[in-house]
Short mmCIF file of all heavy atoms in Angstrom, two decimals:
data_model
loop_
_atom_site.label_atom_id
_atom_site.label_comp_id
_atom_site.label_asym_id
_atom_site.label_seq_id
_atom_site.Cartn_x
_atom_site.Cartn_y
_atom_site.Cartn_z
N LEU A 129 3.16 8.16 3.32
CA LEU A 129 2.22 7.06 3.26
C LEU A 129 2.00 6.42 4.65
O LEU A 129 2.83 6.27 5.41
CB LEU A 129 2.71 5.94 2.30
CG LEU A 129 1.94 4.81 1.94
CD1 LEU A 129 0.67 5.21 1.04
CD2 LEU A 129 2.71 3.78 1.29
N TYR B 23 8.39 -9.07 7.26
CA TYR B 23 9.75 -8.94 7.80
C TYR B 23 9.92 -9.92 9.02
O TYR B 23 9.02 -10.34 9.72
CB TYR B 23 10.05 -7.59 8.31
CG TYR B 23 9.94 -6.56 7.13
CD1 TYR B 23 8.78 -5.88 6.90
CD2 TYR B 23 10.99 -6.49 6.20
CE1 TYR B 23 8.69 -4.99 5.71
CE2 TYR B 23 10.91 -5.71 5.03
CZ TYR B 23 9.76 -4.93 4.84
OH TYR B 23 9.61 -4.14 3.78
N VAL B 39 16.44 -3.18 5.88
CA VAL B 39 15.99 -2.37 4.81
C VAL B 39 16.28 -0.98 5.11
O VAL B 39 16.73 -0.20 4.20
CB VAL B 39 14.46 -2.63 4.57
CG1 VAL B 39 13.99 -1.76 3.52
CG2 VAL B 39 14.22 -4.13 4.27
N ARG B 43 18.76 1.43 2.76
CA ARG B 43 18.20 2.67 1.98
C ARG B 43 18.67 3.94 2.52
O ARG B 43 18.88 4.90 1.73
CB ARG B 43 16.58 2.54 1.98
CG ARG B 43 16.12 1.21 1.58
CD ARG B 43 16.43 0.78 0.12
NE ARG B 43 16.10 -0.58 -0.16
CZ ARG B 43 15.02 -0.87 -0.75
NH1 ARG B 43 14.13 -0.11 -1.11
NH2 ARG B 43 14.71 -2.28 -0.91
N ALA B 88 13.17 9.44 2.10
CA ALA B 88 13.00 8.09 2.61
C ALA B 88 11.76 7.43 1.79
O ALA B 88 11.84 6.33 1.48
CB ALA B 88 12.84 8.08 4.03
N SER B 89 10.66 8.23 1.73
CA SER B 89 9.49 7.58 1.06
C SER B 89 9.86 7.20 -0.42
O SER B 89 9.21 6.30 -1.04
CB SER B 89 8.27 8.51 1.02
OG SER B 89 8.32 9.49 0.26
N ALA B 91 12.87 6.02 -1.34
CA ALA B 91 13.84 5.03 -1.26
C ALA B 91 13.31 3.66 -0.54
O ALA B 91 13.86 2.67 -0.83
CB ALA B 91 15.09 5.52 -0.45
N LEU B 92 12.33 3.74 0.11
CA LEU B 92 11.76 2.68 0.98
C LEU B 92 10.66 1.91 0.30
O LEU B 92 9.94 2.55 -0.41
CB LEU B 92 11.36 3.07 2.37
CG LEU B 92 12.51 3.45 3.35
CD1 LEU B 92 11.97 4.30 4.51
CD2 LEU B 92 13.13 2.19 3.88
N PRO B 93 10.48 0.64 0.61
CA PRO B 93 9.12 0.07 0.04
C PRO B 93 7.95 0.62 0.86
O PRO B 93 8.14 1.13 1.95
CB PRO B 93 9.46 -1.46 0.55
CG PRO B 93 10.49 -1.41 1.62
CD PRO B 93 11.28 -0.22 1.39
N PRO B 94 6.85 0.40 0.28
CA PRO B 94 5.70 1.09 0.90
C PRO B 94 5.23 0.61 2.23
O PRO B 94 4.45 1.28 2.91
CB PRO B 94 4.56 0.80 -0.10
CG PRO B 94 4.94 -0.24 -1.07
CD PRO B 94 6.53 -0.27 -1.05
N ASP B 95 5.78 -0.54 2.69
CA ASP B 95 5.40 -0.99 4.03
C ASP B 95 6.37 -0.61 5.16
O ASP B 95 6.25 -0.96 6.35
CB ASP B 95 5.24 -2.55 4.00
CG ASP B 95 6.51 -3.31 3.56
OD1 ASP B 95 7.50 -2.71 3.23
OD2 ASP B 95 6.35 -4.54 3.35
N ILE B 96 7.31 0.29 4.74
CA ILE B 96 8.18 1.00 5.81
C ILE B 96 8.11 2.52 5.52
O ILE B 96 8.43 2.88 4.41
CB ILE B 96 9.58 0.44 5.79
CG1 ILE B 96 9.65 -1.05 6.04
CG2 ILE B 96 10.41 1.18 6.87
CD1 ILE B 96 10.97 -1.65 5.93
N VAL B 97 7.80 3.31 6.62
CA VAL B 97 7.60 4.70 6.30
C VAL B 97 8.40 5.49 7.36
O VAL B 97 8.18 5.28 8.63
CB VAL B 97 6.10 5.05 6.32
CG1 VAL B 97 5.88 6.58 6.34
CG2 VAL B 97 5.43 4.46 5.14
#
Side-chain angles (χ1 to χ4, degrees):
Chain A
L129 183 70
Chain B
Y23 297 98
V39 178
R43 307 302 171 90
S89 81
L92 288 164
D95 54 6
I96 303 177
V97 170

